[in-house]
Amino acid sequence: MKYKIKLTCYDYGCPVPYEDEVEKRFKTYDEAYAAVQQCVLEEVQYLNDDEGMTLNDIESDKFNYRADFDGNASAIVRFWDGDDYMTITIYDIEEVQ
């Protein structure tokens, strides 16, 4: 069994989210999850224009863009719009044959 990372991306100029995936396949769920953490960290660092952020920082409310590693998805990147956090990217790890 191998694993892949699927992304659901919400571009607010487009009414329908689109899907993408990381091309690499992973031998274990743990390898895929480590890759998700790295992808999320890089995305949140880029969006916040703060390369000094760490995994410990990305769930903090002190940033406009943050990530959550709980719930149904492997990770969710969100943006504070003034009322609530809007979803930007959902990362899911899926089994592949």
Side-chain angles (χ1 to χ4, degrees):
M1 190 68 58
K2 291 193 177 199
Y3 297 87
K4 71 176 184 178
I5 301 170
K6 183 182 90 175
L7 291 77
T8 304
C9 306
Y10 293 82
D11 181 349
Y12 290 98
C14 179
V16 177
Y18 63 92
E19 292 184 353
D20 200 357
E21 65 181 52
V22 174
E23 289 184 31
K24 180 178 172 137
R25 299 298 183 248
F26 302 90
K27 293 179 183 177
T28 67
Y29 181 89
D30 290 341
E31 286 178 6
Y33 190 72
V36 164
Q37 288 180 313
Q38 186 61 39
C39 290
V40 167
L41 177 60
E42 289 174 9
E43 181 176 356
V44 173
Q45 285 175 331
Y46 172 78
L47 292 171
N48 283 306
D49 195 25
D50 187 345
E51 292 183 16
M53 293 180 72
T54 67
L55 281 173
N56 292 330
D57 297 327
I58 63 176
E59 294 188 68
S60 171
D61 289 339
K62 69 181 182 177
F63 297 102
N64 285 332
Y65 294 90
R66 61 172 290 174
D68 298 306
F69 290 100
D70 56 1
N72 295 329
S74 299
I76 301 174
V77 174
R78 303 175 194 273
F79 169 71
W80 179 254
D81 72 352
D83 293 323
D84 199 0
Y85 281 95
M86 298 183 329
T87 300
I88 302 293
T89 310
I90 297 173
Y91 291 81
D92 285 305
I93 298 172
E94 298 180 349
E95 291 181 355
V96 292
Q97 299 295 337

